[in-house]
Amino acid sequence: DIQMTQSPSSLSASVGDRVTITCQASQDISNYLNWYQQKPGKAPKLLIYDASNLETGVPSRFSGSGSGTDFTFTISSLQPEDIATYYCQQYDNLLLFTFGPGTKVDIK
Amino acid sequence: QVQLQESGPGLVKPSETLSLTCTVSGGSISSYYWSWIRQPPGKGLEWIGYIYYSGSTNYNPSLKSRVTISVDTSKNQFSLKLSSVTAADTAVYYCARIDGYGDDLRYYYYMDVWGKGTTVTVSS
């Protein structure tokens, strides 16, 4: 099984700050990595697919990068509406999906 | 605009079978994979499994022995059955569409449409 880790588990930042979240896979997953945003009480929302592609309609302040085992998710300028938990998700060649443990983002 | 709606009992007794249905509206169930994901209270997301519209399935190995996902294309619905439930199965259950793109060499997948989720509590 491929294990996913995320860091930090939570962070607090000011409006306008650059926020970076990392996701690490236990083995090479190429760029089979997606990022989701989940606001409290809501369903997850797809933000980034195959590591770096922005889903249609998602603000350009969100971005992703990486390949292999190490991935980065960035919010270039944190906005109040970005308060949420962010999850990475990988899938392997058997199309088994795994979510990372999540990173909770708050406003300082 | 495709929309998904989960439905089913909100309370299930221990040792019984949890049954949920996801209804797809605004589009066809054909040509996609359809997935179930759950989230225990205060915890992260856990992928349960998926079904292709043609009926092929794939399950999380940790749940495989208890999970069955089926599809009814005539009703534009797919369903989840989880047997022998315990309190640990208490969660919000989401259904989602898996879309993808690519070529013969590489194909990419992502969950682009989600239902709002339904809370299932396992308790006597």
Side-chain angles (χ1 to χ4, degrees), chain A residues 34 36 38 50 91 94, chain B residues 39 58 101 106 108-109 111:
Chain A
N34 305 317
Y36 298 84
Q38 186 180 33
D50 39 288
Y91 51 96
L94 298 177
Chain B
Q39 185 171 37
N58 201 6
Y101 75 98
R106 185 164 287 193
Y108 300 98
Y109 296 93
M111 297 176 184

Side-chain angles (χ1 to χ4, degrees), chain A residues 1 30-32 34 36 38 41-46 48-50 53 55 87 89 91 94-101, chain B residues 33 35 37 39 43-47 50 58-61 94 98 101 105-112 114-117:
Chain A
D1 290 9
S30 184
N31 54 339
Y32 298 149
N34 305 317
Y36 298 84
Q38 186 180 33
K42 300 294 186 181
K45 173 187 175 183
L46 176 68
I48 303 283
Y49 59 96
D50 39 288
N53 290 308
E55 171 71 336
Y87 294 92
Q89 175 207 53
Y91 51 96
L94 298 177
L95 209 49
L96 298 176
F97 291 84
T98 307
F99 289 92
Chain B
Y33 293 89
S35 189
I37 302 97
Q39 185 171 37
K43 296 188 177 181
L45 300 167
E46 180 180 31
W47 174 69
Y50 69 70
N58 201 6
Y59 302 134
N60 185 326
Y94 296 99
I98 301 174
Y101 75 98
L105 293 177
R106 185 164 287 193
Y107 215 81
Y108 300 98
Y109 296 93
Y110 43 85
M111 297 176 184
D112 66 336
W114 292 66
K116 293 183 178 180

Side-chain angles (χ1 to χ4, degrees), chain B residues 35-111:
Chain B
S35 189
W36 288 98
I37 302 97
R38 71 180 182 178
Q39 185 171 37
K43 296 188 177 181
L45 300 167
E46 180 180 31
W47 174 69
I48 298 171
Y50 69 70
I51 188 164
Y52 193 46
Y53 77 100
S54 61
S56 61
T57 56
N58 201 6
Y59 302 134
N60 185 326
S62 69
L63 298 169
K64 188 173 184 177
S65 63
R66 300 195 291 131
V67 173
T68 302
I69 298 177
S70 58
V71 64
D72 187 336
T73 54
S74 67
K75 295 182 178 179
N76 243 27
Q77 294 177 333
F78 62 105
S79 298
L80 168 71
K81 290 189 186 299
L82 181 66
S83 64
S84 305
V85 297
T86 69
D89 295 309
T90 293
V92 176
Y93 285 76
Y94 296 99
C95 57
R97 185 179 78 173
I98 301 174
D99 198 0
Y101 75 98
D103 55 31
D104 289 343
L105 293 177
R106 185 164 287 193
Y107 215 81
Y108 300 98
Y109 296 93
Y110 43 85
M111 297 176 184

